[in-house]
Amino acid sequence: MSQDIKAPIAIVKSVQHAASKAFYAGMNSVMLVSASILTVAAVLAFCLLKDGQAAKNLENN
């Protein structure tokens, strides 16, 4: 009787482990994509602000 119960419990535990690994792999991917987007946005904003300041300097001179 106890062998009948242990087999499904082992299957459930292995499925939970696989789901946990998939979840954390997905979260890792989401964090990497978010960090990449934020980095690109920061560089773009910096370049645009720098160009805007250069344009102001040309207008003032």
Side-chain angles (χ1 to χ4, degrees), residues 19-32:
S20 175
K21 285 181 73 173
F23 173 76
Y24 285 114
M27 288 301 291
N28 191 26
S29 298
V30 167
M31 286 188 291
L32 287 173

Side-chain angles (χ1 to χ4, degrees), residues 52-61:
Q53 187 62 41
K56 272 188 183 176
N57 288 342
L58 286 175
E59 288 174 3
N60 290 339
N61 289 335

Side-chain angles (χ1 to χ4, degrees), residues 21-46:
K21 285 181 73 173
F23 173 76
Y24 285 114
M27 288 301 291
N28 191 26
S29 298
V30 167
M31 286 188 291
L32 287 173
V33 169
S34 297
S36 300
I37 290 171
L38 287 172
T39 302
V40 169
V43 168
L44 185 62
F46 178 76

